[in-house]
């Protein structure tokens, strides 16, 4: 079947979905908007005068029908651990390129393992097209280019923003799982916030940061081949204490009734950044690689606010997949578009630093 619809955005009425739709329209695209709620999907489609399609991801037949004529799906409905499987199957069946905005390690690992199937169908799987992991993935690839025999990668970030409902839901979903790092090529579970450090992000203050299970623990391995990876996030001390306490109660946090309760709380508390923060907020990233001889390289990246950046990078990635290309299979952002991909976005600055020798 000829693919007559270039782009379909699923989860279009979510917080981040709406930002992505606005960015796609700003760029002159006419995406088809989709979601599971008939009212909410119709409302956003009407706002922009766009076509819309309503279907549940549980309905495999409807999902396939909706994707039959679509070249690229930009999937914004998460937690992605609950949505990735049906969407992937429909993409394989209909030969539709798959792009999402996940940051979930399990989802990256799952899709990486499906690379062969995607190659056989001639489609690209490109998860992590948002703040997690585009800037950190490009930073990791840049550092690897500076020290090709690096065997250890440490990444850290600080976001000046406010969490959205969906990000909070995804965190609740993963609360019982603790932390994760990559050691000797394998992803290893560690206690939540098991290491802390003090970090200079170049924003004029020294920040406390804790080890977190960020997407790069999965993706940076595919991008760089570096076998030891850890990611830190700047967090206030009381939050780090809470994460550690929660880990002790992780068996409880895995119960669906507790998850439901926490999601209800999150729904009230987390509304995402407002317009001003979206426009003025910034994110700071830092990375370091070390080789077995003790040599090191470090760099920083400054980017726009995380949710806003997500809208820019996700739409750009979808656009690039709509252009003629020879890619098929699983890709990380830097594998697909190079380490300097992130520098194409306004407000992004990369600074190489003179590092301390390896400790
Ligand atoms: N990588 C990044 O940097 C980045 C940036 C932003 C967001 N995210 C992730 O993106 C996801 C969405 O975030 P958000 O802020 O947009 O959240 P949100 O405002 O809660 O929106 C979530 C959207 O997904 C839909 N959805 C959720 N589960 C679904 C399912 N099983 N089937 C169909 N639709 C489903 C929701 O529909 P209903 O309202 O009908 O439930 C809603 O449209 C989260 O997982 C978040 O962590 C990642």
């Amino acid at each position: 079947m000829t693919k007559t619809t270039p782009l379909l955005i699923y989860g279009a009425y979510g917080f981040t979905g709406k930002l992505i739709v606005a960015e796609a329209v700003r760029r002159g695209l006419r995406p088809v908007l989709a979601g599971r709620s008939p009212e909410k999907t119709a409302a956003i489609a009407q706002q922009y005068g766009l076509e819309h399609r309503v279907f549940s991801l549980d309905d495999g037949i409807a999902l396939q029908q909706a994707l039959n004529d679509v070249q690229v799906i930009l999937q914004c409905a998460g937690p992605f651990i609950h949505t990735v499987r049906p969407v992937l199957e429909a993409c394989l069946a209909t030969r539709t390129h798959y792009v999402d905005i996940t940051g979930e390690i399990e989802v990256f690992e799952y899709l990486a393992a499906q690379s062969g199937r995607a190659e056989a169908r001639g489609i690209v799987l490109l998860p992590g097209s948002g703040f997690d992991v585009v800037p950190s993935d490009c930073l990791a690839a840049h550092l690897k280019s500076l020290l090709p025999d690096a065997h250890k990668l440490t990444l850290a970030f600080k976001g000046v923003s406010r969490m959205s409902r969906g990000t909070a839901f995804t965190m609740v979903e993963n609360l019982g799982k603790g932390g994760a790092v990559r050691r000797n090529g394998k992803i290893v579970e560690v206690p939540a916030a098991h290491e802390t450090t003090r970090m200079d992000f170049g924003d004029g203050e020294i920040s406390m940061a804790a080890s977190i299970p960020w997407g790069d623990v999965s993706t940076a391995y595919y991008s760089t081949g570096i076998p030891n990876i850890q990611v830190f996030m700047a967090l206030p001390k009381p939050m780090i204490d809470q994460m550690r306490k929660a880990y002790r109660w992780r068996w409880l946090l895995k119960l669906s009734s507790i998850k439901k309760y926490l999601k209800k709380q999150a729904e009230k508390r987390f509304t995402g950044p407002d317009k001003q923060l979206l426009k003025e907020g910034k994110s700071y990233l830092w990375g370091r690689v070390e080789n077995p001889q003790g040599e090191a390289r470090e760099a920083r990246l400054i980017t726009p606010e995380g949710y806003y950046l997500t809208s820019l990078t996700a739409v750009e990635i979808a656009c690039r997949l709509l252009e003629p290309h020879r890619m098929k299979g699983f890709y990380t952002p830097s594998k697909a578009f190079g380490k300097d991909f992130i520098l194409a976005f306004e407000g992004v600055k990369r600074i190489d630093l003179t590092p301390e020798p390896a400790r």
Side-chain angles (χ1 to χ4, degrees), residues 143 146-153 226 288-298 353-359:
L143 288 164
L146 298 178
L147 195 65
D149 63 344
H151 74 146
K152 183 179 170 192
L153 167 70
I226 298 175
R288 175 184 171 98
V289 284
E290 292 170 21
N291 69 8
Q293 292 75 46
E295 289 172 84
R297 298 287 184 276
E298 281 181 20
L353 305 169
T354 310
E356 300 274 320
R359 291 175 277 267

Side-chain angles (χ1 to χ4, degrees), residues 80-96:
F80 293 86
I81 195 65
H82 299 313
T83 57
V84 63
R85 284 175 178 80
V87 181
L88 171 77
E89 292 307 323
C91 284
L92 289 168
T94 59
R95 294 177 182 256
T96 305

